[in-house]
Amino acid sequence: MRKKIVAANWKMNLTLADGAFLVNEILTAATAVTTLKQVVIATPFVHLTQTAAQLEGFGNIHLGAQNCSSEKSGAYTGEVSAAMLIDAGVQYVIVGHSERRGYFNEDSAMLAKKVNQCLETGLQVIFCCGEPLEIRDAETQNAFVAKQIAEGLFHLTAEQLQNVTIAYEPIWAIGTGRTATTEQAQSIHAYIRNVIAGQYGNDAAANIAILYGGSCNPTNAAELFACPDVDGGLIGGASLKADQFLSIIAAMINS
Ligand code: PGA
């Protein structure tokens, strides 16, 4: 059975004190999460060691990072390596978020290297894909997303793919309050699963978790997570408020 995940993406928000307070609130959900129904909290780098200490002993609430260098080590000013993330207690890394692709010019070649760094070091990858509005309006989103997945992931073996979760995040839904409908989400998630099946076979496709992201909130989480091919969510804005994030976790647990 594939796992379900709700992952918080704090982006560039929260002081250390506010982060610690929020994590303490989220830990109240700890008894409900299981190996198959997990929570990930992806914090800014400077929060990682603090959050790791708070999460100690809470096995199914995992620490995530929002980025990782494409290089192993050396003279790369400002970068943080996969090995450093492991050392800080990280288990999951978000790779290929549309904000990194768009604002920091991360292309598929670089993302494939980041994926490799993470997997070679023992980190799990949350690989993001998703189309801009003009692609959705032209109804070519399937081909767009398939290309992102092929370029970022298809160099991996089926065994390596077991440590990858996909997050489908339509750019027009991120931070806009405009969510994909359940039909739109289910349709493209099923398509993504088919793309994985085509490359890696039915077992790999059945086992990979595909998360939805983009204005997921306490009001729409339950119906999104009820879609057969939606295995949880990557949550931005609503992950910064304990009550909202806890309610989204509850929706995943009850799905
Ligand atoms: P949002 O962000 O929930 O604020 O739309 C999601 C994301 O970018 O991961």
Side-chain angles (χ1 to χ4, degrees):
M1 251 183 76
R2 62 179 174 259
K3 58 190 173 188
K4 297 193 174 194
I5 300 175
V6 162
N9 176 8
W10 287 2
K11 307 192 180 182
M12 197 170 71
N13 291 296
L14 303 178
T15 63
L16 287 173
D18 289 343
F21 188 81
L22 178 56
V23 170
N24 268 335
E25 301 273 301
I26 294 165
L27 289 179
T28 58
T31 50
V33 296
T34 64
T35 316
L36 286 177
K37 295 194 171 178
Q38 302 183 358
V39 171
V40 174
I41 305 174
T43 76
F45 289 140
V46 293
H47 285 251
L48 290 172
T49 51
Q50 169 179 278
T51 309
Q54 288 182 279
L55 296 184
E56 225 166 277
F58 296 95
N60 294 312
I61 301 189
H62 299 287
L63 184 61
Q66 300 169 18
N67 186 21
C68 159
S69 177
S70 57
E71 305 302 324
K72 206 182 186 70
S73 68
Y76 299 100
T77 301
E79 289 290 275
V80 174
S81 73
M84 291 170 184
L85 295 178
I86 289 269
D87 202 25
V90 169
Q91 287 134 314
Y92 283 86
V93 181
I94 299 171
V95 176
H97 192 282
S98 58
E99 288 153 15
R100 298 226 49 97
R101 291 178 190 260
Y103 302 146
F104 303 99
N105 299 323
E106 296 193 359
D107 62 10
S108 286
M110 177 186 277
L111 296 177
K113 284 176 77 177
K114 291 188 177 205
V115 167
N116 291 345
Q117 285 299 329
C118 289
L119 295 179
E120 281 164 17
T121 316
L123 291 159
Q124 305 256 339
V125 169
I126 299 176
F127 183 82
C128 301
C129 59
E131 79 285 356
L133 187 58
E134 61 272 21
I135 296 288
R136 172 62 65 167
D137 285 344
E139 296 178 12
T140 52
Q141 68 275 1
N142 286 6
F144 186 92
V145 163
K147 184 167 184 281
Q148 288 180 321
I149 291 174
E151 291 177 350
L153 297 179
F154 278 7
H155 62 286
L156 301 176
T157 65
E159 197 186 344
Q160 287 176 309
L161 192 77
Q162 290 173 5
N163 291 315
V164 175
T165 296
I166 292 175
Y168 168 68
E169 300 201 304
I171 297 171
W172 45 271
I174 295 176
T176 59
R178 177 179 167 191
T179 321
T181 64
T182 49
E183 292 76 20
Q184 287 172 325
Q186 169 55 27
S187 160
I188 196 157
H189 279 234
Y191 173 76
I192 290 169
R193 205 175 297 287
N194 264 327
V195 167
I196 297 295
Q199 180 74 9
Y200 292 100
N202 289 339
D203 280 358
N207 286 327
I208 195 162
I210 306 174
L211 315 183
Y212 169 80
S215 297
C216 187
N217 61 44
T219 312
N220 57 32
E223 59 174 4
L224 284 164
F225 300 168
C227 298
D229 288 294
V230 177
D231 305 311
L234 180 54
I235 319 297
S239 75
L240 299 172
K241 301 266 187 304
D243 56 338
Q244 294 190 20
F245 192 57
L246 285 168
S247 135
I248 294 170
I249 293 172
M252 181 267 294
I253 286 168
N254 297 327
S255 67

